[in-house]
Amino acid sequence: MGQLPNALTRRLEEYTPLTATDRDELQILCDQSTRTIQPKRDLIAEGEAPPCIYVILDGWACHYRMLEDGSRQIVDFAIPGDLCDLNLFILNRMDHSISAITRLKLAQLGREMLHNIVTHCLNITTALWWVELVSKSIHREWIVNLGQRSAPERIAHLFCEMFLRLESIGLTQGFSCDFPLTQNDIADATGLTSVHVNRTIQELRKRGLIRIERQRLTIPNMLELQEAGRVNPDYLHHRRLSRHTDAGRVSSRGAK
Amino acid sequence: MGQLPNALTRRLEEYTPLTATDRDELQILCDQSTRTIQPKRDLIAEGEAPPCIYVILDGWACHYRMLEDGSRQIVDFAIPGDLCDLNLFILNRMDHSISAITRLKLAQLGREMLHNIVTHCLNITTALWWVELVSKSIHREWIVNLGQRSAPERIAHLFCEMFLRLESIGLTQGFSCDFPLTQNDIADATGLTSVHVNRTIQELRKRGLIRIERQRLTIPNMLELQEAGRVNPDYLHHRRLSRHTDAGRVSSRGAK
DNA sequence: CGTTCAGTTGACCATGATCAAGAGTGGTGG
DNA sequence: CCACCACTCTTGATCATGGTCAACTGAACG
């Protein structure tokens, strides 16, 4: 109980209250078998059927698909507490790849172990599906981002999203957080070129919306950045978003 | 047994073999309580928490999010056999809206009924999650579509996707199918303007890739259209895609 | 100390957006 | 039955966002 909870536990508690037993269960699960992956290495490649399910305990990864011409679209980032491939509990083959951005620390969950959980711990099972559905909601928001927003909006949106996701698992310090993405990564996630990402980030910097120095992002004014990115954080389904809303914001479910 | 299976059954059988009992169960489920929705009507709006889960038995719908400035991004289309909001089995509020494109015929599944299924029919439960995960894979593909493909590619991709999805539930006739989307709908789905969609569709028509007349799409040469849209249908996780591949196509999980 | 990779800058170009107007079609009510 | 309205599709002219190509800087690392 006096122990610092691991990333998975922190993540699940964002959605569902867990009992002490649940937490112990998760701790055991995450300690059982861990693995380290070096930056830029593929964790799982499209078409593979890994024997176990990974949970990120530390570091950043990205989910992506490649096209024949070599272009890469990142479809999501994964941070501590994220599950890599719950898919495989049901689907048989990966339909996309996952690659390490930073050095990664992973927990490996065998299928039997997970099956055990699913049949015994309702709380944890519910929370796991919750994580899965939230990640689907994030996919939808990325579709909106790519389809409707301008370059500065897309990038501001990405900064907000990652900050809020890190905050929900306790990985922010005040208004700054680690931010290991290269401008190339940002380009592949936002459907822009790295040249344009570069110019756009400079613009956001000039407007005083963000500061980035040595893999660290600082957001001087969160509400302003949210406006710049037209972000409505509801899609993240976090419990405590009150910090980043104000009375002036029109509620998402107001009119129409 | 001599009965024509309903859309949900056809859909689930695309993924998992079902027993006669499973099928009966599904038939009862879908007959229990149905509802009709008129075109352009919202079925469920963002922020709502509908008491039951809808399954589309007939017609087309779309999932979308609105931005404050009134722009709409369609994030997915739903056709017969698709579940509208399995989300709500776990999440409490809708994070997006669903609207009827054509007149819709829906089956309404109460939470208790679904809960019953989940605890008693493993086959059906697995297939339902399968549907959910495939729809997530489709989201990923839409991200790729919006992020990496040109206007003609995006639209060709959409035509292919919808045709293949309809085909898998037996709703195509040869190489044509119903196609009730307006150019405006296509614009909102592909992140383009309707003006540009119009010109692009004319181009696809001129290239002989598609024919559209009175809500009906015909694809003279499926492989050619797939190439034009840079489509790799693996992401749909259909069982029988062999019809639309040829020896010349490089397998998706070949090199690297 | 050279190599590699991320970031930066400039010049030019192309895809797709915007604005505006008109044609075709179907539905509705007087 | 016809007039009107609404909606979808179509076309043209102009513009802007973001892409392409290419070169250069600076830091990190062996």
Side-chain angles (χ1 to χ4, degrees), chain A residues 65 69 72-73 90-91 93 95-96 129-130 132 135-137 140-141 147-148 230 237 253, chain B residues 65 69 72-73 90-91 93 95-96 129 132 135-137 140-141 143 147-148 230 237 253:
Chain A
R65 278 193 186 149
D69 68 349
R72 176 180 73 149
Q73 176 66 45
I90 294 190
L91 263 45
R93 281 186 285 98
D95 53 45
H96 65 281
W129 280 118
W130 200 307
E132 194 62 20
S135 120
K136 202 175 159 189
S137 176
R140 283 189 285 268
E141 188 66 15
Q148 302 297 327
R230 296 206 273 162
H237 293 270
R253 58 197 58 79
Chain B
R65 279 195 185 146
D69 68 349
R72 175 180 75 150
Q73 175 67 43
I90 294 190
L91 263 42
R93 281 187 283 100
D95 52 45
H96 66 281
W129 281 118
E132 194 62 21
S135 120
K136 202 175 159 190
S137 175
R140 283 190 284 269
E141 189 65 16
I143 294 174
Q148 301 298 326
R230 295 207 274 159
H237 293 270
R253 57 197 58 77

Side-chain angles (χ1 to χ4, degrees), chain A residues 98-145:
Chain A
I98 307 180
S99 169
I101 287 175
T102 65
R103 166 194 274 258
L104 280 185
K105 199 178 147 212
L106 303 174
Q108 309 185 90
L109 316 188
R111 269 159 188 268
E112 342 69 55
M113 282 166 65
L114 201 64
H115 195 268
N116 232 358
I117 292 277
V118 167
T119 46
H120 289 89
C121 307
L122 182 59
N123 277 345
I124 296 181
T125 306
T126 304
L128 286 175
W129 280 118
W130 200 307
V131 168
E132 194 62 20
L133 292 175
V134 167
S135 120
K136 202 175 159 189
S137 176
I138 291 174
H139 279 346
R140 283 189 285 268
E141 188 66 15
W142 281 47
I143 293 174
V144 175
N145 208 29

